[in-house]
Amino acid sequence: MAAKSKQVFVCQECGAVYAKWLGRCTACGAWNSVVEEFPAVAAAGAGHNAAVPQPIARVSMEKLERMPVGMAELELVLGGGLVPGSMTLLGGEPGIGKSTILLQLALAVSRSGGKTLYVSGEESAPQVRMRAERLGALADDLWLLAENDLDNILAQARKRDCRLLIIDSIQTVFLPELASAPGSVGQVRQCGNELLKLAKEQGIAVILVGHVTKDGNLAGPRVLEHMVDTVLYFEGDRLSNLRLLRASKNRFGSTNEIGVFEMTSGGLKALDDPSTVFLTHREKPVAGAAVGCVQQGARPVLLEIQALTSPTSFGNARRLASGLDHNRLHIIIAVLEKKVGLNLSSQDVYVNITGGLRVDDPAVDLAVAAAIASAYRERPLPADVVVLGEIGLTGELRPAGQMEQRLREAQRLDFGGVVAARQKDAAGTAAKLGMKLYQADNLQLALSFLGLI
Ligand code: TYD
Ligand code: MG
């Protein structure tokens, strides 16, 4: 626990020190940058217990004994089970299911013998129990604490000798030594520091819930993101039951994997076949839809890109992308205009990736271009064709990585044809899988294969 020494207020921009809080730093003029701190914490680390360097080969490798978390989709995103002594931050909008997934995780960990302390700063213990009953049987080694005072939380976690500590949420706990309100920058940061110390000292895995603001950032300071080992985001379309879990930072695994879940009346259920989720099944093909394939970590995922074009009514044409980088959309539209001759400058263009997925695999470019061209021409694409390739500024197509995996996934889901960038060995793979492959060096040729020009 931090020493109860007198606190100071420090500007996070320039380091100026004040005796009381100020809305604006008088030294550098920054607004809202002055934050409460313990002088003792700022000075800690120097002097006693100083570390000495070691040759790298002599550093002992502790084997990371990970705690199983009971859900394969969750382990996929974490890169395995939970690492003792690690700190994880789970962000997401209110109501998306953060408390639900963590309670499910807590039940699984405690059932496999890892004593768990679930601290709820937002809900009462009976509320949490009711939810736990809804999610399945209770577990003996799961302890609940409805508390906001972090001093007591830390003391209880030490006393109960737990292996996993969940704080729901970091914005609702506070250190009474600090005068600032729960959820303020100073509180969140200091609480994070204390919890990190507890995790490292006791080898406890700590998970923090963090609310996100409207613009998608974690509320409170970004500083938490630097402090923790893993940052997970839980997201999804409010209107559908689909939920996606992704890591934006992971010291113990990759950040490319996504976990796909469905919110049901009995809690979150993992959907281990994501490709079937992001495709729309239709009787008849419609204009403005194209199927692409993105590589999410180790898994290829098929998805549908939808586009709509409509004549611009005033002035500048609108370009809206959801699930896709906005700049990428602008480039693809520019190439469609210049190299293919589509007159899109007088058209508003909207592009959407179904299922709330966010895509940064460039191999989806060609599918985006095909969906836009299909919408503009009001001509549907053939129903059983997957479109794959990155588009260069000169209109050339570049091959997608892991072509064989993507083709296999397409074939598994009954797609008989592929339009893709020219690539060595692709023809052999397609032939082996019994798929028709149309290879193109440039966007124009690819779109003519699809019947769009
Ligand atoms: P919750 O986990 O409380 O969200 P967060 O902690 O991110 O704010 O989830 C709340 C929503 O989930 C709520 O609208 C009800 C729904 N829900 C289910 O559909 N099924 C369930 O089994 C549970 C526990 C919640
Ligand atoms: Mg909650």
Side-chain angles (χ1 to χ4, degrees):
M1 197 36 257
K4 298 207 175 194
S5 47
K6 199 167 168 296
Q7 63 269 32
V8 292
F9 295 81
V10 181
C11 172
Q12 302 300 299
E13 299 288 334
C14 70
V17 179
Y18 301 96
K20 63 178 181 26
W21 187 80
L22 296 174
R24 185 181 191 204
C25 175
T26 48
C28 70
W31 287 96
N32 285 327
S33 65
V34 178
V35 162
E36 195 176 13
E37 281 183 7
F38 291 120
V41 171
H48 58 91
N49 260 346
V52 282
Q54 276 181 294
I56 188 165
R58 263 193 248 148
V59 175
S60 72
M61 278 204 285
E62 299 158 29
K63 199 165 167 301
L64 298 176
E65 287 284 345
R66 294 178 181 241
M67 292 181 241
V69 295
M71 270 187 273
E73 287 287 297
L74 191 53
E75 288 197 358
L76 183 73
V77 178
L78 286 169
L82 279 172
V83 177
S86 68
M87 193 148 92
T88 304
L89 179 62
L90 174 65
E93 285 177 22
I96 204 79
K98 299 179 296 297
S99 304
T100 306
I101 197 170
L102 290 182
L103 196 54
Q104 285 180 264
L105 180 149
L107 284 163
V109 169
S110 53
R111 272 194 212 118
S112 62
K115 189 186 258 189
T116 301
L117 180 60
Y118 185 105
V119 179
S120 181
E122 298 180 352
E123 288 165 290
S124 68
Q127 267 179 306
V128 180
R129 180 194 166 146
M130 258 158 50
R131 184 191 297 238
E133 298 222 357
R134 213 142 53 93
L135 299 175
L138 301 179
D140 287 340
D141 260 343
L142 175 56
W143 295 67
L144 297 185
L145 177 64
E147 176 64 282
N148 301 92
D149 181 339
L150 192 71
D151 283 340
N152 185 31
I153 295 169
L154 295 169
Q156 295 296 338
R158 288 203 169 90
K159 195 158 100 195
R160 307 279 158 185
D161 192 27
C162 60
R163 307 312 316 139
L164 170 62
L165 172 64
I166 294 173
I167 308 284
D168 188 0
S169 65
I170 188 70
Q171 278 100 354
T172 55
V173 298
F174 66 96
L175 282 162
E177 292 88 349
L178 295 178
S180 44
S184 64
V185 181
Q187 281 285 5
V188 168
R189 202 163 71 129
Q190 212 57 255
C191 290
N193 266 325
E194 295 299 326
L195 287 160
L196 188 62
K197 244 196 292 176
L198 175 82
K200 303 289 173 225
E201 274 169 25
Q202 312 274 315
I204 301 177
V206 175
I207 305 180
L208 313 175
V209 170
H211 296 295
V212 298
T213 55
K214 278 228 168 59
D215 51 7
N217 289 324
L218 280 156
R222 301 293 302 245
V223 67
L224 269 183
E225 297 194 12
H226 300 291
M227 205 184 283
V228 298
D229 299 301
T230 305
V231 180
L232 304 178
Y233 277 96
F234 206 33
E235 39 191 41
D237 192 346
R238 282 296 214 115
L239 301 175
S240 82
N241 291 326
L242 206 61
R243 299 286 182 272
L244 304 174
L245 185 70
R246 67 171 75 244
S248 74
K249 165 181 176 180
N250 193 349
R251 290 192 180 140
F252 307 111
S254 128
T255 52
N256 296 323
E257 305 288 352
I258 54 163
V260 187
F261 299 87
E262 186 186 7
M263 182 62 100
T264 70
S265 57
L268 288 152
K269 298 257 179 314
L271 294 173
D272 44 19
D273 193 358
S275 283
T276 56
V277 179
F278 299 115
L279 292 178
T280 315
H281 298 280
R282 294 201 179 84
E283 295 284 300
K284 252 174 48 192
V286 298
V291 175
C293 181
V294 294
Q295 195 71 24
Q296 286 288 348
R299 297 192 290 199
V301 175
L302 292 186
L303 44 76
E304 185 179 277
I305 319 284
Q306 297 180 342
L308 177 71
T309 61
S310 74
T312 304
S313 21
F314 343 72
N316 281 345
R318 280 161 62 85
R319 275 85 180 83
L320 269 180
S322 105
L324 184 77
D325 178 42
H326 211 252
N327 294 329
R328 204 68 220 149
L329 175 63
H330 277 272
I331 292 173
I332 294 170
I333 291 173
V335 176
L336 278 170
E337 288 200 305
K338 186 90 185 180
K339 301 291 169 186
V340 185
L342 300 191
N343 180 15
L344 294 169
S345 59
S346 61
Q347 300 280 323
D348 292 339
V349 178
Y350 307 92
V351 173
N352 178 35
I353 310 251
T354 54
L357 199 67
R358 261 193 293 121
V359 169
D360 46 18
D361 183 346
V364 84
D365 285 359
L366 186 53
V368 173
I372 296 172
S374 158
Y376 181 69
R377 296 265 192 240
E378 296 177 15
R379 243 180 264 163
L381 266 67
D384 67 336
V385 169
V386 173
V387 185
L388 279 174
E390 180 182 346
I391 299 175
L393 292 184
T394 61
E396 88 274 16
L397 291 183
R398 293 196 212 109
Q402 289 105 341
M403 191 62 174
E404 178 162 353
Q405 276 197 52
R406 297 189 209 234
L407 291 182
R408 282 187 187 285
E409 183 69 359
Q411 190 235 18
R412 188 177 72 84
L413 289 158
D414 292 335
F415 285 84
V418 183
V419 173
R422 193 172 297 284
Q423 188 172 3
K424 225 175 66 196
D425 305 334
T429 311
K432 211 166 56 188
L433 294 170
M435 300 177 82
K436 279 212 175 82
L437 176 70
Y438 302 87
Q439 302 200 76
D441 299 316
N442 59 60
L443 179 57
Q444 196 153 14
L445 183 57
L447 293 182
S448 71
F449 282 146
L450 291 165
L452 298 173
I453 37 179

